[in-house]
Amino acid sequence: MASRREFLHFFSSLGFEDNPFAYTNADEEERLSEYFVPPPYFESVFGNPNRPKSFIVFAPRGGGKTAQRRMIEQQSVDNGVLAITYDNFDFHDVNKATDIKVHHHLRRIIRFVLTGLLLNLSRDSREQDNLSKEDKQIFLKLSAEHLGDIKGADLEITLEALKSLRDKFKDFWNDWVPVMGIGLQFVLKLIKPIKDLGDNISELQKFHDPEFHRTDSLKFQLKLLVDLAKKLGWKSIYILVDRVDEASTTGNNVKASFSLLEPLLKDLSLLEFSGIGFKFFLWDQLEPLCKNIVRTDRIRQESLDWDNQMLMALWENRLRAYSAKKISRLEQITAKLKIYSVDELCLIFSNHSPRDLIRLGNQILSEQQEHRDFSAKIHEKVIYKAIDKFCAKRSSELIVKETVLEGLKRTRQVDFTIPYLSNTVFKEKGTSTRNRLMSWRAENAIVEVERVDNPSSRGKNKVKLFAIKDIRVAKAIYPELDVLNFLSAKYKKCPQCNASVIRDWGEVPSSNICQDCQYDLSEEADNLEKWQRQDIAVSKRRQYRETSLDENAMQLSLFDGMDNRDDE
């Protein structure tokens, strides 16, 4: 294992201060602001702090949701917004996501906001001059209800939700918070600027108000906190909701993730609460479910789709940030390649994912480092080997069931029909092949392209053509093909919507139709404008996600509608 000195020497030899691809989790990236690429709607997400509005952002995993949330946190510091990061959804009294009610969310949010305001007062006790005697009583009542019996673990969750305050009060936070102790002693010190209760937490219970324990009073308590926040100089409160699909009660389950958030999303009065803006950063698989309950005419929603221009901007910004602005593309420190530059290859095999783009960059540098090569150039063979390794690894992550990946590899095709698979590859009845494809579709491994002629049929019936959805999975099917030969034989980029179109080009049956925007890649001219094609692509992707949530819809999508004659 290389020492830290060798590690830095390696990156220095290439022109970097450190590894530009070390982190793929935005929460770990200290230099995020140097290379963050805001999506077109980003300013609308932040909005006007004086008139906060709720907003929902949908993006795939690794698509930049947390990066956006972190930039909102940072902007909040300078714009008078108390930003609460709500990304922990493990409740002590809940085992299933379906059991979570709106009061679970409200109690946690109230605790976060209350603690943030008390920390504000602890940092500068002069702020209490803005509070009336009644205001201080409200603080004590709320503290008795929401902090009076807080456990150490809950306190840690609460402090983690106040990331933006940690940045705003950096010196105070670093000097004061670590010595406050944990649990109830922490609470007593928090309350001290309002009322010194000494070391006796039972004194706080004297301010307990039974009215505040009722769940139907929680919105009223939230309003009290909004009023108190404004008296302490905050323009508004933002609740930044992130990582819903990473909770212990949701895991990788779309419907469980939706169930967890449903009580919040369908409560319009809460989403339009005066002085508060809810900013949701959600997995795009939740979009079909959300549209049935969220008032889209009142709560704005946007989906984040990364195009090559945005990805390249991220790539270049990141490389410049770690090279004192001397390197903006890897091709500057790479031996000249044929056909595609190393940067173009990284874009292709990242498949529109910023996280995968960074992972692939890291794989290339790791491969070069493995060769103990401290030259100023990355070797050609290193790049292609890194891409092969990345595709093998990523395909096994995307396709969780090994039997599915093995079945795809047996096809020796990147596009196919049910008759071809049943008659030529698996030699089984069409119904058995449909069941096989059902498991492939459930893993999001394949996508429907169009209807094509069935060459194995005596009639003129058409059957559905399916194709591999992800280029990394397609490459894993052909490990013996080098990267350039694979791209030449199987890959084209749709000029209208930028989709990766994976086909067995020139073979029968195959198709020149883009699976997303439906553009015919064999045509030189298009009867639709580019923006129209892009709208079709967005609609197709949304339809694909909707079908993924409905087993009956998936079964119908695999049915050719020709009885069983496709078995012939």
Side-chain angles (χ1 to χ4, degrees):
M1 184 177 178
S3 68
R4 177 65 180 169
R5 180 180 295 179
E6 289 177 313
F7 180 85
L8 292 175
H9 176 52
F10 167 73
F11 287 106
S12 177
S13 68
L14 293 172
F16 296 115
E17 301 163 3
D18 208 329
N19 183 359
F21 308 122
Y23 301 105
T24 59
N25 181 349
D27 272 329
E28 300 174 335
E29 300 190 53
E30 295 180 359
R31 306 173 71 167
L32 178 65
S33 60
E34 297 179 50
Y35 42 79
F36 176 71
V37 176
Y41 54 79
F42 182 72
E43 288 305 315
S44 296
V45 180
F46 188 82
N48 180 358
N50 294 310
R51 299 184 62 189
K53 299 288 185 182
S54 293
F55 202 109
I56 303 176
V57 174
F58 294 103
R61 285 176 171 169
K65 298 184 294 298
T66 298
Q68 288 184 72
R69 188 213 78 213
R70 277 202 60 197
M71 295 310 296
I72 295 288
E73 288 171 358
Q74 292 183 24
Q75 284 195 23
S76 298
V77 171
D78 301 321
N79 287 275
V81 174
L82 175 57
I84 304 297
T85 302
Y86 187 23
D87 61 0
N88 187 304
F89 305 95
D90 293 332
F91 299 95
H92 300 309
D93 57 341
V94 172
N95 295 318
K96 297 185 298 181
T98 51
D99 293 335
I100 294 174
K101 309 301 179 186
V102 71
H103 69 81
H104 290 100
H105 294 296
L106 283 173
R107 287 192 179 279
R108 185 158 286 191
I109 289 168
I110 288 170
R111 175 181 283 173
F112 294 164
V113 175
L114 173 62
T115 305
L117 295 180
L118 289 171
L119 280 169
N120 190 165
L121 283 168
S122 296
R123 173 181 174 267
D124 187 353
S125 58
R126 291 172 298 178
E127 295 280 1
Q128 67 176 300
D129 295 339
N130 299 317
L131 302 176
S132 66
K133 183 179 179 180
E134 290 74 17
D135 294 331
K136 293 178 182 180
Q137 283 292 113
I138 291 170
F139 262 122
L140 290 168
K141 288 181 178 182
L142 288 169
S143 297
E145 175 64 29
H146 299 284
L147 298 175
D149 59 353
I150 192 170
K151 303 294 189 296
D154 291 323
L155 183 56
E156 286 185 19
I157 292 170
T158 302
L159 292 177
E160 190 61 27
L162 301 170
K163 293 180 174 76
S164 62
L165 282 187
R166 188 169 55 199
D167 295 334
K168 183 177 176 66
F169 307 153
K170 190 172 183 180
D171 293 338
F172 160 77
W173 192 284
N174 293 337
D175 294 340
W176 194 73
V177 171
V179 299
M180 285 186 69
I182 59 171
L184 301 179
Q185 290 303 309
F186 186 101
V187 174
L188 288 169
K189 291 179 181 179
L190 271 182
I191 297 170
K192 191 172 183 178
I194 297 174
K195 189 173 181 63
D196 190 347
L197 300 177
D199 295 326
N200 190 357
I201 193 67
S202 62
E203 289 294 309
L204 181 59
Q205 294 307 314
K206 292 179 180 179
F207 299 94
H208 188 265
D209 187 339
E211 188 71 22
F212 279 25
H213 194 63
R214 292 171 48 184
T215 56
D216 60 0
S217 76
L218 290 172
K219 288 184 182 179
F220 171 68
Q221 294 175 51
L222 196 58
K223 181 184 182 302
L224 292 175
L225 284 170
V226 170
D227 294 340
L228 290 170
K230 289 182 177 179
K231 289 188 177 184
L232 294 177
W234 299 100
K235 295 177 183 176
S236 55
I237 300 168
Y238 285 1
I239 311 298
L240 311 180
V241 184
D242 192 15
R243 301 186 183 279
V244 175
D245 53 308
E246 297 177 21
S248 61
T249 51
T250 60
N252 197 38
N253 190 292
V254 178
K255 292 182 178 179
S257 299
F258 172 72
S259 294
L260 187 151
L261 269 194
E262 185 179 6
L264 277 180
L265 291 169
K266 69 182 183 182
D267 192 330
L268 188 61
S269 68
L270 191 56
L271 298 186
E272 293 186 332
F273 206 90
S274 178
I276 294 182
F278 284 83
K279 315 293 182 178
F280 296 89
F281 302 91
L282 304 182
W283 185 19
D284 63 350
Q285 299 297 316
L286 295 174
E287 185 179 8
L289 295 172
C290 289
K291 76 173 188 177
N292 295 324
I293 64 163
V294 177
R295 287 285 301 273
T296 55
D297 59 326
R298 305 269 285 272
I299 308 299
R300 185 172 170 186
Q301 305 177 32
E302 291 286 351
S303 295
L304 177 53
D305 293 306
W306 286 79
D307 59 28
N308 285 352
Q309 185 177 358
M310 289 172 63
L311 284 168
M312 187 54 72
L314 170 67
W315 183 254
E316 291 177 347
N317 290 352
R318 197 169 186 124
L319 292 173
R320 278 194 288 263
Y322 282 87
S323 66
K325 300 183 178 180
K326 295 176 183 177
I327 300 170
S328 59
R329 298 205 176 192
L330 280 187
E331 65 181 341
Q332 294 172 232
I333 54 171
T334 303
K336 189 172 178 59
L337 305 183
K338 301 174 184 176
I339 308 177
Y340 299 98
S341 72
V342 60
D343 305 282
E344 290 170 331
L345 289 171
C346 287
L347 282 182
I348 291 170
F349 286 98
S350 70
N351 203 38
H352 307 290
S353 165
R355 179 177 292 166
D356 284 349
L357 181 65
I358 303 311
R359 288 182 65 184
L360 182 48
N362 191 55
Q363 184 77 51
I364 290 171
L365 295 187
S366 297
E367 198 65 35
Q368 176 87 354
Q369 192 176 16
E370 197 173 295
H371 285 73
R372 313 286 292 181
D373 190 321
F374 293 88
S375 64
K377 292 285 185 181
I378 301 173
H379 300 303
E380 179 180 13
K381 64 180 181 181
V382 162
I383 295 165
Y384 296 133
K385 186 175 181 181
I387 291 173
D388 278 332
K389 282 187 175 181
F390 178 72
C391 289
K393 181 191 298 183
R394 193 70 184 103
S395 63
S396 64
E397 293 169 351
L398 292 164
I399 311 297
V400 178
K401 293 183 179 178
E402 291 184 15
T403 53
V404 170
L405 193 55
E406 289 304 313
L408 291 169
K409 289 178 179 179
R410 279 182 63 186
T411 66
R412 301 298 298 163
Q413 297 276 123
V414 294
D415 62 18
F416 34 73
T417 64
I418 290 177
Y420 168 78
L421 294 177
S422 61
N423 297 334
T424 306
V425 178
F426 299 110
K427 302 188 185 306
E428 61 190 7
K429 288 187 174 296
T431 50
S432 299
T433 303
R434 277 195 202 91
N435 291 334
R436 187 186 298 274
L437 262 67
M438 185 68 178
S439 65
W440 295 3
R441 179 63 180 81
E443 291 278 305
N444 293 320
I446 58 173
V447 62
E448 180 185 339
V449 180
E450 66 162 340
R451 287 188 175 276
V452 295
D453 291 330
N454 180 5
S456 64
S457 172
R458 292 187 291 272
K460 294 183 178 181
N461 64 307
K462 290 182 177 290
V463 291
K464 288 183 178 179
L465 180 73
F466 301 91
I468 301 296
K469 188 170 181 283
D470 192 288
I471 191 170
R472 285 76 62 91
V473 176
K475 180 65 183 73
I477 293 175
Y478 294 95
E480 76 285 358
L481 276 183
D482 65 58
V483 169
L484 292 183
N485 281 330
F486 167 79
L487 291 174
S488 174
K490 307 296 178 183
Y491 164 82
K492 288 183 183 179
K493 184 179 81 171
C494 176
Q496 298 298 73
C497 73
N498 282 327
S500 293
V501 184
I502 314 298
R503 299 286 185 275
D504 295 304
W505 302 104
E507 297 185 19
V508 177
S510 190
S511 169
N512 296 311
I513 299 295
C514 171
Q515 70 277 358
D516 286 351
C517 73
Q518 304 296 292
Y519 172 66
D520 189 338
L521 275 67
S522 65
E523 298 290 337
E524 293 185 5
D526 190 1
N527 61 344
L528 296 180
E529 296 287 338
K530 194 167 187 175
W531 67 266
Q532 292 174 304
R533 287 293 179 191
Q534 290 171 346
D535 279 354
I536 293 172
V538 169
S539 178
K540 276 284 184 181
R541 292 172 194 143
R542 184 177 292 119
Q543 182 182 7
Y544 184 89
R545 291 194 292 269
E546 289 175 356
T547 304
S548 299
L549 297 172
D550 187 334
E551 187 172 334
N552 290 331
M554 275 200 290
Q555 289 176 336
L556 287 173
S557 72
L558 298 173
F559 185 60
D560 280 321
M562 296 298 296
D563 301 317
N564 286 320
R565 283 177 287 172
D566 57 345
D567 290 347
E568 295 176 3

